[in-house]
Amino acid sequence: MTPANPPVTLANCDQEPIHIPGLIQPHGVLLALDLADCVVHASANLPFWFGAAAPALGETLLPAHFEGRQQVHQLIAMARDAELDGGQVVVQHAVIDMAGQVFDVFAHRHRSAVIVEFERRAAAPEQEADVATMLHGVVQLFRQQASIEGLMGVAARVVRQLTGFDRVMGYRFRADDSGDVIAEERRPELPPYLGWRYPASDIPAQARRLYSISPMRLIADVDAPPVAVQGRPDADQPLDMSHAVLRAVSPIHLEYLRNIGVAASMSLSIMVEGRLWGMLACHHGTPRQVPYRVRSTCALLTELLAAHVLARLGAQRGAEILVHERLRGQLMDDVKGASRAVSVLAGQAPEIMRAFGADALLVAQFGAVQVHGEVPAELQAPLLRWLAEHLPPERVLATDALAARAPSLRPWLGGWAGALALGYDEPSQAMLVLLRREQVATVDWGHDPNKQVGVGPSGPRLTPPGSFALWRETVRETSEPWSEIEIESMRRLQTDLSRSVALRRAEMAHYRTMVEAALTRQQHPAGAGAAVAPGHEGHTELLIRQVLELAELRQPGMVSDRRPVDLQALVVERVEHVRAQHPGASVFVDVPAGDAEDDRPLVLGERARLVRMLDALLDNAVRYGTAGESVVVRLYRSPDAVSIEISNISAMIDSAIVAELFSGTASSASQDDLRAGLGFGLYRAQSIAHAHGGNISYAYDEPFVTMCVTLPRGPA
């Protein structure tokens, strides 16, 4: 005995097995044969329609059955012998005159069952139509449309002309499976639903699956009592009617249709690239059995519509991809010849924002932030910190609802809602962030999208909406969603930038190894000097200068030209220099006022060396500080010494590294910046401080990392 399905309740309606209802619509009959032609399932009305002309439940099909009509037997044989290629089901069809009536007969094989259906044709004669000519005209109309909405409008109009339904709506499904009515044809006296949206819950997942595998569906009369499908006593599984034309309808869906005043409906699935992209939904106020010939014509029209939608989407996608590929190619070409990738990203900000439809752009690295757009200063550092903590392993994050995704940022968002970010070098906190403004939207729902619990005809459960009554919702704190192409383009850019950084790091490591070996063997002569002024050389010239300078650091008497240098003036000058070198970096200077000429913080030394020492410390603080936070520079005087403290917010340095911090082995070229050279910055700075009789020390006072330079005061 076939087990009965459990009643649909509040607890199980989302799992309702609508593919095995055990019922059919009453305008036809159904029987299922096993592969030995024995009837294993049959609708209860089979004997009343055909009597002895049809095999009874448990009987084997004989040549004399169905009045010996060869066409019926051939149809069954074709279905039985059909190749189930990849699970694809082919429904065979024929028109049969039998028992004084005309039937559309359907047969298909599903697993080990051959399902045969007889749908009685309506009494009224069908109006013959030249389908080929009609469809040719439709294709011409499709070609004239400038938008997908135009394509859907043509399809809705033609389907209504063919079927006579009161209303035909064209739905387009969103990524969240809700659907927008983007086209509509209706009787003039009916209220319009164009522009309304319907929640994903209107089409549960199991219904969505059936719409995908059985793209044409008719409900001829929502109030007609269904007919039971009976199984042989030894049948242990209900009959799977996923592909059956006469399959009965879920009681929840029937109640839904009754609530909105629909007595008959038809749906045509729009399948694009193997997924349910949209639907043509047809409604009528009275029972309506649309002939199969008309339905099949509508199904063919819908396939043509899907092909045109696919072509239109493909053209749009191709144009968008081309824009992003050209941009990515240009960016990476520029990165190859630039000292820093961050400079390229900042320089190309308008083009990047235009390609991605962004309203603002942030480029961050080593604590410096460059901003394009009106992003509040108080948002920048918290946003970058949050992104650094939440970037997934692929280092790309996309959201159109920052407030919901990152509630801690809500106080500073100020109208910013969408973010598309990539990180391409974790050690330097290198990041590209695109932002979109909040897009306040008014959504016209066809009914309250929240699930309603009530008492329906079958008892307490999720009750369908009582009518198609406008339910308006204002959606805030969201932006226009990032498209799949935009997100994929960001992933590719992240991959390219990461690869570029890795190659550059490998190159710098190679140079560093060569220099370390050369210095160890003392192959470079002392006192050679630098032929090119610091700050104005290219990559190769910079490396040569640093090699020569490192060689000098190993020699005694490296400071030979000692003169009084005003450290206060020099600090102010070098802070301005580092600001210019790192656009977007925030550096504050706190120096005491000193009006008296003899109170100036003078040291006796070589100005060029002191410049390099300060530049190395300031550059280090900007690079390794937390993104968006400021570097603070303070100058202190005592009778015997001058001290300069350079502080940035950063994590505490590991004690093992601190022990070797100012040696030639502690630092490394781990950043995406050719201007940083070989990574001996702190070693060079300490060597210069020692040569001037001073010292550089490290201290950590949470959250500040501080480097303190102390030099002896010189004569005024």
Side-chain angles (χ1 to χ4, degrees):
M1 189 73 178
T2 303
N5 293 329
V8 180
T9 67
L10 177 62
N12 67 9
C13 66
D14 286 343
Q15 289 82 42
E16 181 188 1
I18 58 177
H19 63 299
I20 50 172
L23 301 165
I24 64 167
Q25 298 182 63
H27 58 279
V29 298
L30 176 147
L31 68 155
L33 310 168
D34 62 18
L35 298 183
D37 285 345
C38 180
V39 179
V40 291
H41 289 89
S43 59
N45 59 354
L46 179 63
F48 298 101
W49 280 41
F50 297 139
L57 190 64
E59 289 186 354
T60 299
L61 179 67
L62 299 174
H65 283 133
F66 301 118
E67 299 179 355
R69 306 277 177 166
Q70 287 299 312
Q71 201 171 2
V72 176
H73 290 275
Q74 289 172 358
L75 201 69
I76 294 172
M78 289 172 61
R80 182 183 59 240
D81 299 337
E83 293 286 337
L84 298 181
D85 185 14
Q88 294 294 319
V89 173
V90 177
V91 178
Q92 310 290 340
H93 170 255
V95 179
I96 306 294
D97 186 350
M98 192 174 66
Q101 299 184 78
V102 179
F103 296 92
D104 284 291
V105 184
F106 311 95
H108 72 276
R109 178 178 169 182
H110 186 52
R111 300 194 178 103
S112 60
V114 176
I115 299 174
V116 187
E117 301 171 84
F118 293 79
E119 179 184 317
R120 184 165 49 198
R121 286 198 170 187
E126 291 186 38
Q127 182 178 358
E128 293 294 327
D130 185 344
V131 174
T133 301
M134 185 274 297
L135 291 178
H136 177 75
V138 170
V139 169
Q140 298 305 311
L141 289 173
F142 281 161
R143 289 174 177 168
Q144 295 170 15
Q145 304 310 306
S147 66
I148 287 177
E149 288 78 7
L151 292 172
M152 294 284 275
V154 169
R157 182 168 66 252
V158 175
V159 167
R160 183 163 181 259
Q161 290 170 351
L162 287 170
T163 62
F165 276 103
D166 293 337
R167 185 195 305 270
V168 178
M169 294 175 288
Y171 286 87
R172 178 176 184 172
F173 294 120
R174 292 173 172 255
D176 63 358
D177 289 338
S178 63
D180 295 298
V181 180
I182 65 172
E184 181 184 43
E185 288 291 324
R186 59 184 170 83
R187 283 171 39 202
E189 65 271 21
L190 295 177
Y193 298 152
L194 184 64
W196 288 19
R197 187 182 302 175
Y198 294 87
S201 58
D202 278 11
I203 307 178
Q206 68 270 38
R208 197 170 292 273
R209 183 187 74 86
L210 289 182
Y211 280 128
S212 299
I213 65 176
S214 183
M216 179 179 65
R217 178 81 167 127
L218 172 71
I219 304 173
D221 185 353
V222 301
D223 292 319
V227 177
V229 175
Q230 301 167 337
R232 228 169 38 182
D234 60 345
D236 59 352
Q237 293 294 328
L239 180 64
D240 188 333
M241 292 189 279
S242 296
H243 300 271
V245 174
L246 294 169
R247 172 171 45 83
V249 187
S250 160
I252 289 184
H253 188 58
L254 291 177
E255 186 179 342
Y256 175 87
L257 293 175
R258 293 188 191 102
N259 286 347
I260 62 175
V262 172
S265 76
M266 186 174 78
S267 61
L268 298 160
S269 303
I270 305 171
M271 302 297 297
V272 176
E273 294 184 321
R275 69 180 184 90
L276 186 62
W277 178 91
M279 181 181 295
L280 294 174
C282 312
H283 290 169
H284 207 65
T286 58
R288 188 169 191 80
Q289 184 182 338
V290 179
Y292 178 75
R293 177 186 177 88
V294 176
R295 291 175 359 232
S296 61
T297 301
C298 292
L300 182 55
L301 182 151
T302 306
E303 290 188 22
L304 291 173
L305 168 64
H308 281 267
V309 167
L310 176 60
R312 189 63 54 88
L313 291 174
Q316 294 172 355
R317 187 180 297 117
E320 188 177 354
I321 289 173
L322 182 60
V323 168
H324 283 278
E325 287 299 300
R326 284 177 173 171
L327 173 65
R328 186 165 61 90
Q330 182 62 54
L331 290 174
M332 296 316 300
D333 283 346
D334 291 349
V335 164
K336 290 176 184 177
S339 63
R340 297 189 304 163
V342 69
S343 302
V344 173
L345 297 176
Q348 297 280 3
E351 289 73 16
I352 297 172
M353 291 166 62
R354 186 162 44 250
F356 284 89
D359 300 306
L361 177 148
L362 288 79
V363 181
Q365 188 177 36
F366 292 120
V369 184
Q370 299 183 61
V371 181
H372 298 263
E374 299 175 358
V375 182
E378 59 270 19
L379 171 62
Q380 297 169 22
L383 173 63
L384 292 169
R385 274 197 303 272
W386 184 87
L387 288 169
E389 294 170 0
H390 291 87
L391 280 176
E394 64 268 24
R395 310 294 293 163
V396 173
L397 182 146
T399 178
D400 60 359
L402 258 177
R405 185 81 176 266
S408 61
L409 298 179
R410 184 177 272 114
W412 303 289
L413 287 175
W416 295 102
L420 179 59
L422 67 80
Y424 62 91
D425 184 36
E426 206 165 351
S428 69
Q429 302 172 8
M431 201 177 299
L432 170 65
V433 184
L434 300 172
L435 297 177
R436 281 180 178 168
R437 294 187 183 278
E438 174 188 32
Q439 189 177 71
V440 180
T442 299
V443 180
D444 289 339
W445 294 98
H447 56 81
D448 186 345
N450 301 301
K451 290 185 175 182
Q452 302 297 310
V453 179
V455 179
S458 303
R461 56 174 173 75
L462 292 176
T463 302
S467 66
F468 269 11
L470 176 64
W471 196 88
R472 182 160 286 168
E473 178 187 21
T474 300
V475 179
R476 297 185 178 276
E477 295 186 335
T478 62
S479 71
E480 181 70 21
W482 304 98
S483 71
E484 293 179 5
I485 292 173
E486 289 165 341
I487 296 172
E488 178 59 27
S489 178
M490 197 62 124
R491 290 195 184 105
R492 294 189 177 192
L493 181 59
Q494 192 278 336
T495 299
D496 288 349
L497 288 171
S498 297
R499 183 182 296 116
S500 173
V501 169
L503 291 173
R504 185 165 293 177
R505 184 173 293 129
E507 176 189 7
M508 299 305 292
H510 173 68
Y511 282 128
R512 181 184 172 86
T513 301
M514 293 175 61
V515 170
E516 287 177 333
L519 290 175
T520 300
R521 295 193 301 269
Q522 295 187 347
Q523 291 180 346
H524 295 282
V532 185
H536 298 279
E537 64 272 86
H539 177 207
T540 304
E541 293 166 323
L542 180 142
L543 295 178
I544 293 172
R545 177 176 64 78
Q546 289 196 359
V547 167
L548 297 176
E549 186 177 272
L550 288 169
E552 288 185 275
L553 295 179
R554 300 293 180 95
Q555 308 301 320
M558 63 175 288
V559 179
S560 56
D561 185 16
R562 296 177 180 268
R563 301 186 183 198
V565 178
D566 185 339
L567 273 191
Q568 178 170 320
L570 189 63
V571 165
V572 172
E573 173 193 310
R574 301 327 296 170
V575 165
E576 288 302 317
H577 172 77
V578 80
R579 285 172 179 161
Q581 290 291 97
H582 298 276
S586 176
V587 185
F588 289 104
V589 183
D590 181 10
V591 295
D595 296 330
E597 182 70 18
D598 59 358
D599 194 33
R600 289 182 302 160
L602 300 179
V603 298
L604 196 62
E606 187 175 334
R607 190 180 191 280
R609 303 286 186 187
L610 294 173
V611 164
R612 290 175 183 168
M613 177 190 72
L614 288 175
D615 283 357
L617 295 173
L618 287 168
D619 190 72
N620 208 64
V622 170
R623 291 178 185 282
Y624 295 103
T626 300
E629 300 290 354
S630 299
V631 173
V632 179
V633 182
R634 294 185 176 91
L635 186 143
Y636 302 96
R637 315 176 205 190
S638 70
D640 301 321
V642 180
S643 296
I644 304 167
E645 287 187 353
I646 302 175
S647 302
N648 61 282
I649 295 178
S650 182
M652 182 170 61
I653 301 174
D654 184 85
S655 58
I657 297 178
V658 171
E660 301 292 332
L661 193 59
F662 300 103
S663 72
T665 59
S667 54
S668 64
S670 62
Q671 64 279 339
D672 170 42
D673 190 349
L674 292 180
R675 300 178 314 167
L678 297 169
F680 290 97
L682 290 179
Y683 169 65
R684 288 186 294 130
Q686 183 70 289
S687 298
I688 293 170
H690 285 169
H692 286 79
N695 184 60
I696 302 176
S697 61
Y698 158 83
Y700 183 74
D701 185 9
E702 189 175 4
F704 294 99
V705 166
T706 300
M707 297 291 178
C708 181
V709 183
T710 302
L711 298 172
R713 294 189 72 162

